[in-house]
Amino acid sequence: MVGAVPERVQRAVALLDLRGDAAVLEIGPGPGAAVELVLARHPGVRYVALDRSATAVARTTARNRTAVDDGRLVVRQGDVTDPDLADTLGGPFDVVFAVNVNVFWTRTAHLEASALAALLVTDGALWLVYETPGGDDDRVLDAVRASLAVPELGEQVVVRDDVLAVGARRTLAGG
C-alpha cells in the first residue's frame, strides 16, 4: 500500500460487504485510501471515485495509478447533484459510500441522498460513515438520518464501531 489507511476508512470498507464483481461508487475519496484498500481486497470490483476537489481527484489518481491504467478505477471531478452525473459515471452501482462527507450532517441533504439513491441498483446499499471526535455522535446521527429520509431509500441501519455509520438500501419505490 502506498500510505497508511486510517482506521475510519478500514471500518468503512469492512461495512461494504462487497462481492468480487461489485460496482462501487465512493463520494469524496480524498487521498484515495479506501480505493486502494478495496481494490487490493477485491480485484474484480469496478470502482468509481467522485470528488468536487481537483486536488482530491489528482491525489486519488496518483495513489491508485495502476488501477486507473488497468481500467479498474475511474476518478471523476464533479458534484452528486449534477443532473448529468449518471451519464458520466457509468452506473448503476451496487454500493455507494462516503467517509466524513459533511454535507449529509451539516444540513438536510435530501437532494444529494436522492441523487445517490438513483445511482444504485434496486437493493443496492448507501453507507455514510463518520469519525466523530468529541462525542458528537448523536447530533451527527440525527442529521444523517434526516438526510437519508427520502422515498428512494428504505429502512436505515446504524452501526457504531469506533465510527458512526448509517446505511440504507434502495427500494423498488425508488424506480
Side-chain angles (χ1 to χ4, degrees), residues 69-95:
D69 292 346
D70 292 346
R72 296 184 309 139
L73 170 64
V74 173
V75 185
R76 295 277 185 260
Q77 183 176 358
D79 189 292
V80 299
T81 60
D82 179 345
D84 298 321
L85 185 64
D87 296 334
T88 63
L89 293 181
F93 296 93
D94 300 295
V95 175

Side-chain angles (χ1 to χ4, degrees), residues 2 4 9 17 25 51 66 70 75 85 97 100 121-122 124-126 128 137 139 163:
V2 172
V9 172
D17 192 29
L25 171 62
D51 206 300
T66 301
D70 292 346
V75 185
L85 185 64
F97 79 104
N100 286 353
V121 297
T122 299
L126 171 59
L128 302 176
D137 276 14
R139 184 170 68 107
V163 294

Side-chain angles (χ1 to χ4, degrees), residues 131-158:
E131 184 177 49
T132 57
D136 245 356
D137 276 14
D138 290 334
R139 184 170 68 107
V140 172
L141 174 61
D142 291 345
V144 171
R145 292 189 78 174
S147 287
L148 293 183
V150 296
E152 301 89 349
L153 295 172
E155 184 178 343
Q156 296 174 12
V157 174
V158 176

Side-chain angles (χ1 to χ4, degrees), residues 104 109-119 126 147-153:
F104 296 100
H110 288 155
L111 181 62
E112 290 82 353
S114 290
L116 293 177
L119 295 172
L126 171 59
S147 287
L148 293 183
V150 296
E152 301 89 349
L153 295 172

